[in-house]
Amino acid sequence: MLTIGLVGGMSWESSAEYYRLLNEGAQRRLGGLSSAKIVLSSVEFGELTHLQRKEKWDDVAEILATAADGVEAAGASVLLLCTTAFHMVADQVAAAVDIPMLHLGDVVAEAVKAQDLESVAFLGTAFSMGRPFFTDRIASHGLQVLVPDERHHATFDRIIYEELVHGKVLDTSRRAVVEVINELWDEGAEGVVLGCTELEMLIKQADSDLPVFPVTTLHVEAALDRTLP
């Protein structure tokens, strides 16, 4: 069994979900008392969010690259950046280490193509939906990516940052997100990508008639495929 390196803390709720899913997956695959070998470096979310808002991406990249270097030094054989938004600096982080980084956009695209779909809706923070860095990575695999109309972006940020990162899962918010999914279905989406870990707390496959692609679950399964015997 190889060691999985996590750069997390964005948010800690998200990192806790990564940790839980990795260990449940290892036990499911290997049985008995098996668990995943994990090294986690958890950064300070408030600090990174402050730098993000000021567009200080070199500073963000330096913090995450230092964290990535730490998990490599601790024995990790593969690296996961446990966030969608901060994949904005994924190339800089990957360049800072000698171990492979599983880019979340590539993992998602491979899962979508495995179901023979050509277009997906992408849901996430206003930042991730409003910038092309992540949707373009998915689209580079030959897929069409649809995002919600800008009038919905503030609603997603409210749900994610004021509710889900604090562990609040509300039915009213679930209904609001499902309405947006249905709008994108009407626009041609054949599946829906839950583009941040926290949204997986809110939306399940049973909530949508479209195939749902939960990014954290997919990231975890790709890491287990790479590291377990």
Side-chain angles (χ1 to χ4, degrees), residues 170-201:
L170 305 180
D171 287 337
T172 52
S173 295
R174 180 179 294 108
R175 289 193 293 270
V177 172
V178 169
E179 287 180 7
V180 175
I181 292 173
N182 289 336
E183 284 185 20
L184 292 165
W185 187 8
D186 290 341
E187 294 175 18
E190 299 173 336
V192 56
V193 174
L194 302 180
C196 75
T197 306
E198 289 83 7
L199 283 176
E200 295 182 41
M201 299 162 57

Side-chain angles (χ1 to χ4, degrees), residues 41-175:
S41 180
S42 187
V43 299
E44 208 282 280
F45 192 32
E47 177 186 13
L48 284 185
T49 300
H50 175 74
L51 293 171
Q52 174 192 13
R53 289 170 178 163
K54 289 183 173 295
E55 299 285 343
K56 293 187 174 182
W57 290 107
D58 288 343
D59 293 339
V60 170
E62 182 178 357
I63 291 170
L64 296 181
T66 299
D69 183 65
V71 299
E72 180 180 23
S77 297
V78 65
L79 175 67
L80 277 68
L81 192 56
C82 302
T83 170
T84 301
F86 293 106
H87 267 73
M88 180 83 170
V89 295
D91 290 343
Q92 295 96 308
V93 175
V97 295
D98 293 323
I99 57 176
M101 187 179 85
L102 297 182
H103 194 292
L104 185 52
D106 296 336
V107 170
V108 170
E110 290 167 6
V112 172
K113 293 182 72 173
Q115 293 201 29
D116 295 323
L117 306 184
E118 297 180 353
S119 64
V120 286
F122 175 81
L123 309 179
T125 63
F127 178 82
S128 297
M129 294 188 294
R131 305 283 183 104
F133 68 95
F134 198 80
T135 52
D136 278 0
R137 184 79 176 214
I138 298 173
S140 72
H141 291 261
L143 297 167
Q144 180 187 18
V145 185
L146 305 174
V147 297
D149 187 274
E150 192 172 349
R151 73 183 189 278
H152 295 304
H153 289 196
T155 298
F156 275 87
D157 268 10
R158 177 184 57 77
I159 291 170
I160 293 167
Y161 290 117
E162 296 180 19
E163 298 172 13
L164 297 176
V165 299
H166 300 294
K168 298 178 183 177
V169 181
L170 305 180
D171 287 337
T172 52
S173 295
R174 180 179 294 108
R175 289 193 293 270

Side-chain angles (χ1 to χ4, degrees), residues 200-213:
E200 295 182 41
M201 299 162 57
L202 184 69
I203 299 297
K204 309 296 182 184
Q205 183 59 70
D207 298 311
S208 174
D209 291 323
L210 294 177
V212 172
F213 296 92

